[in-house]
Amino acid sequence: MAPPQRCALCRQTFFCGRGHVYSRKHQRQLKEALERLLPQVEAARKAIRAAQVERFVPEHERCCWCLCCGCEVRKHLSHGNLTVLHGGLLEHLASPEHKKATNKFWWENKAEMQMKEKFLISPQEYARFKKSMVKGLDSYEEKEDEVIKEMAAHIREVERSRQEVVRSVLEPQTVPDPEEGSSVPESWKGTNYSSQQPSHVDLPPAPELAWMEPEQPLTFIGHQDMPGVGNVHSGATPPWMVQDEDCSSGNQQIGPSYEEFLKEREKQKLKKLPPDRVGANFDHSSSTSAGWLPSFGRVWNNGRRWQSRHQFKSEAAAKKKQQSHKEKT
């Protein structure tokens, strides 16, 4: 029997030796794993001809799993505040360690040889990527310079407008010369504005409202002033603030008492119990004597059972005699 071996793709232990890698399940798992890695490798290959440089953000620290090497690889290449997209993955795919691990992985798992070249980057392709990366850095710097120039122009424009506003405020106001004349029309010169201002003394008295005139939209219902009783406008106490005679003493209790509350709570508890239970109609307020418990053959008396049985028989005979004697009399 072959020694047990562990398959990382299938995640199981097999005992069939090398025959496991030829099974349908293993080949299906291998194909699915390679198809998951292939889109990332193809996106990195597109960056060989035109490298993209962007400002660093925390999302650029993402890693991807290299199936051939069995380790995590940084997807992007970051330095300072700049990031080259797919630079880390291309650097890993072009390394000799990855090439060696890929050859071993393809040999152990019997993968298709046509797909092997898709997961490898030759040194010539990586050199081409370096040249495009230099061009990308230059274009990024040019864009940054343009942005800085635009920001500087905007700052100068804002500063210039601010200085103009400050200068207009600080400049002294020119006083017109009386000899040169005024631009005010002559028709306004003789007007006395002080005489046209409204005066509170000259105002006529306010006319009384004619409530009974037919053209008024309101209906007069008469004066509601009660003699001896003030209102809110005259400074009297509002009616909702006046204490009633019944409540003036303060002895009247509002709401149920505590005992009534306890009784009502007990009733609510009893309503939840089944109505046909034993003792549901029992009156707890009735008085009972000490001998309410019936006799069951002297069970609670001292002595043996046969003694209680004889005592019960003798007492039963005595009761019969008393009943017969009462009937005769």
Side-chain angles (χ1 to χ4, degrees):
M1 185 177 180
Q5 296 181 4
R6 177 71 179 177
C7 180
L9 291 175
C10 302
R11 297 180 181 180
Q12 68 177 9
T13 303
F14 57 92
F15 300 89
C16 56
R18 295 286 301 169
H20 171 73
V21 296
Y22 298 99
S23 62
R24 293 182 179 178
K25 180 180 180 181
H26 180 80
Q27 292 297 323
R28 183 176 65 254
Q29 295 288 344
L30 176 63
K31 185 177 179 181
E32 292 177 358
L34 292 176
E35 288 178 354
R36 286 194 298 267
L37 181 61
L38 186 59
Q40 302 181 21
V41 177
E42 290 179 350
R45 282 185 175 276
K46 293 180 181 179
I48 294 176
R49 298 180 180 179
Q52 298 180 5
V53 181
E54 295 181 359
R55 186 178 295 273
F56 174 77
V57 293
E59 296 180 357
H60 292 160
E61 295 183 354
R62 292 181 179 179
C63 298
C64 61
W65 181 261
C66 180
L67 188 63
C68 303
C69 301
C71 62
E72 283 189 344
V73 181
R74 295 221 28 198
K75 193 173 182 179
H76 307 291
L77 187 62
S78 301
H79 180 72
N81 60 344
L82 299 180
T83 301
V84 181
L85 300 182
H86 307 287
L89 182 57
L90 287 173
E91 183 181 7
H92 174 75
L93 295 178
S95 63
E97 292 83 5
H98 174 75
K99 184 176 181 180
K100 184 178 179 180
T102 303
N103 293 332
K104 182 180 178 182
F105 180 82
W106 246 255
W107 171 257
E108 291 180 351
N109 294 279
K110 303 302 178 182
E112 297 180 5
M113 297 303 296
Q114 294 81 2
M115 296 184 62
K116 182 178 178 181
E117 297 299 329
K118 296 181 180 180
F119 296 91
L120 295 175
I121 299 296
S122 62
Q124 294 80 8
E125 292 176 337
Y126 189 66
R128 195 185 311 158
F129 169 71
K130 288 183 178 179
K131 293 179 180 179
S132 64
M133 182 173 59
V134 174
K135 294 180 181 179
L137 288 172
D138 294 340
S139 61
Y140 178 79
E141 290 178 358
E142 292 177 359
K143 292 180 181 179
E144 287 293 321
D145 293 340
E146 292 178 359
V147 172
I148 291 173
K149 291 179 181 179
E150 292 177 0
M151 293 176 63
H154 178 68
I155 292 172
R156 285 194 295 267
E157 181 67 23
V158 173
E159 182 67 19
R160 186 182 62 79
S161 61
R162 187 184 67 83
Q163 290 179 1
E164 289 179 357
V165 173
V166 173
R167 192 181 303 112
S168 63
V169 172
L170 296 180
E171 285 180 355
Q173 300 293 335
T174 58
V175 180
D177 193 357
E179 297 179 357
E180 297 179 357
S182 178
S183 61
V184 180
E186 295 183 0
S187 60
W188 295 3
K189 292 182 180 180
T191 308
N192 187 7
Y193 293 98
S194 62
S195 62
Q196 295 182 2
Q197 296 294 331
S199 176
H200 297 284
V201 180
D202 299 337
L203 289 176
E208 296 182 359
L209 295 177
W211 294 99
M212 303 305 292
E213 293 181 1
E215 56 269 16
Q216 292 294 333
L218 301 178
T219 303
F220 180 69
I221 59 175
H223 297 284
Q224 301 297 320
D225 296 338
M226 299 174 60
V229 180
N231 52 24
V232 179
H233 304 287
S234 61
T237 305
W240 56 86
M241 301 278 299
V242 179
Q243 293 184 356
D244 298 335
E245 296 179 359
D246 300 337
C247 301
S248 58
S249 60
N251 298 327
Q252 184 178 3
Q253 186 178 2
I254 301 175
S257 61
Y258 183 69
E259 290 77 9
E260 295 177 353
F261 167 72
L262 294 179
K263 291 180 180 179
E264 184 65 24
R265 190 171 65 175
E266 291 295 332
K267 290 181 180 179
Q268 295 296 332
K269 288 182 180 180
L270 293 176
K271 286 182 179 179
K272 298 180 181 179
L273 299 176
D276 299 334
R277 67 186 185 279
V278 178
N281 299 326
F282 180 73
D283 187 8
H284 294 272
S285 60
S286 61
S287 60
T288 55
S289 61
W292 66 271
L293 188 66
S295 177
F296 295 98
R298 313 297 176 136
V299 178
W300 292 279
N301 290 356
N302 295 328
R304 300 180 181 275
R305 279 295 183 90
W306 63 270
Q307 293 177 352
S308 64
R309 185 171 63 252
H310 287 293
Q311 291 176 3
F312 177 76
K313 289 181 178 180
S314 60
E315 287 183 2
K319 287 181 180 180
K320 287 183 179 180
K321 288 181 180 180
Q322 290 179 2
Q323 291 178 359
S324 60
H325 180 69
K326 288 181 180 180
E327 291 176 357
K328 289 179 180 180
T329 56

